[in-house]
Amino acid sequence: MAPGMVIGISGATGVVYGVRALELLREAGVETHLVVSRAGGMTRAYESELSAQRLRDLADEYHPSGDLGASIASGSFRTLGMLVAPCTVNTLAEIANGISGNLLTRAADVTLKERRPLVLMVRESPLTAIHLRNMQRVTEAGGIIAPPVPAFYTAPQSVDEMVTQTVARALDLFGLDLVPSRWRAEDVSDVIE
């Protein structure tokens, strides 16, 4: 079987991004390994009608955040990379500084050390200089900061369409062509000059 993808869900608002990533990857036939931080579980309960079990069931394999002996904690376990969606600034800070206090941050650290793609959908606003420095550190270590920013050029008709486009663009960074619509200059017929 081809390597799967690790999906981390931390406690920032936007658990729907992680859920949609799991759904899109399942549709694409990509194996998923899910880890949810304690705060991510709390946010899921606030923002979603999904039970904890139903969220786990969206993944091929679920790993408790305290299980530092899980397969995804080892560099010898091959993956396509890791997406943290959403990513809190606390999780960002831990990853930026090599702190592996739970399985989510350990899996991210392993992803970086193995030079695999790590994409963090950092969900915070406004940003402080500390946040920006941590984003720079992750970027310098090989990670990608991809905040969930909707693409309005697709003329989304619903929040669901914006979420799907945003998550598909993040998955595009792993070489997975799941983007429902892309920018095409020829679609613009009325340009002000």
Side-chain angles (χ1 to χ4, degrees):
M1 178 181 272
M5 169 99 54
V6 179
I7 302 296
I9 296 177
S10 68
T13 187
V15 71
V16 67
Y17 296 115
V19 170
R20 185 56 44 83
L22 291 166
E23 292 168 344
L24 290 173
L25 291 167
R26 175 162 284 178
E27 289 171 17
V30 176
E31 179 182 272
T32 53
H33 292 263
L34 174 65
V35 59
V36 181
S37 72
R38 179 168 152 54
M42 293 169 58
T43 303
R44 177 215 34 90
Y46 294 137
E47 294 184 353
S48 165
E49 293 182 12
L50 277 179
S51 67
Q53 185 59 52
R54 178 67 186 117
L55 176 60
R56 290 184 203 118
D57 290 344
L58 291 174
D60 292 295
E61 192 164 341
Y62 170 75
H63 305 275
S65 65
D67 184 7
L68 293 176
S71 58
I72 62 173
S74 172
S76 66
F77 184 75
R78 290 188 59 217
T79 68
L80 295 173
M82 181 174 184
L83 171 68
V84 182
C87 182
T88 64
V89 291
N90 182 69
T91 299
L92 166 70
E94 289 185 17
I95 294 167
N97 291 284
I99 299 169
S100 300
N102 61 55
L103 182 57
L104 194 156
T105 54
R106 170 61 185 163
D109 189 57
V110 165
T111 301
L112 287 174
K113 84 176 183 69
E114 295 296 326
R115 307 303 192 265
R116 297 178 184 136
L118 173 66
V119 177
L120 306 180
M121 293 182 76
V122 177
R123 179 59 194 85
E124 187 64 76
S125 180
L127 298 168
T128 69
I130 295 168
H131 303 148
L132 295 171
R133 282 189 206 105
N134 284 333
M135 288 180 188
Q136 181 176 359
R137 290 182 72 133
V138 167
T139 302
E140 289 170 346
I144 300 170
I145 306 300
V149 178
F152 291 104
Y153 61 80
T154 62
Q157 300 299 303
S158 66
V159 170
D160 185 64
E161 285 182 16
M162 286 190 289
V163 168
T164 298
Q165 174 74 18
T166 301
V167 172
R169 284 285 291 125
L171 294 174
D172 211 30
L173 298 168
F174 296 90
L176 300 170
D177 190 9
L178 307 175
V179 177
S181 59
R182 294 186 183 276
W183 168 258
R184 294 175 2 159
E186 59 270 18
D187 290 342
V188 181
S189 60
D190 185 23
V191 179
I192 298 173
E193 293 186 29

